[in-house]
Amino acid sequence: MAIDILFDQASSVMTVVSFTTFLGILWWTYIRHKETDFAKAAQAPFDDEEPLSAEARARIYGINGEENHHG
């Protein structure tokens, strides 16, 4: 019988801990951080790319700026 009470209490504690964690994530996401932080993070994958040279642009897009489609 004592083990049943222990498991019931542990289950209640884990529910409270999980809900508190969920609220913390919501607070961190929507209240603490600003939209500019997320916009900067969204551009992070593109920050290390170098701009295309004129020669590379001409190869990819052709002379008149339209994309070449091979196939």
Side-chain angles (χ1 to χ4, degrees), residues 35-52:
E35 188 173 329
T36 54
D37 294 337
F38 291 117
K40 187 188 303 183
Q43 293 301 318
F46 306 109
D47 286 345
D48 63 345
E49 293 182 5
E50 296 179 16
L52 290 175

Side-chain angles (χ1 to χ4, degrees), residues 19-36:
F19 186 68
T20 304
T21 302
F22 174 72
L23 290 178
I25 291 170
L26 287 179
W27 174 80
W28 180 80
T29 303
Y30 292 108
I31 296 173
R32 187 167 176 260
H33 289 287
K34 297 179 182 169
E35 188 173 329
T36 54

Side-chain angles (χ1 to χ4, degrees), residues 55-71:
E55 182 180 306
R57 264 195 311 275
R59 262 196 326 248
I60 294 171
Y61 295 109
I63 296 172
N64 59 4
E66 294 179 9
E67 190 172 346
N68 289 332
H69 294 286
H70 300 288

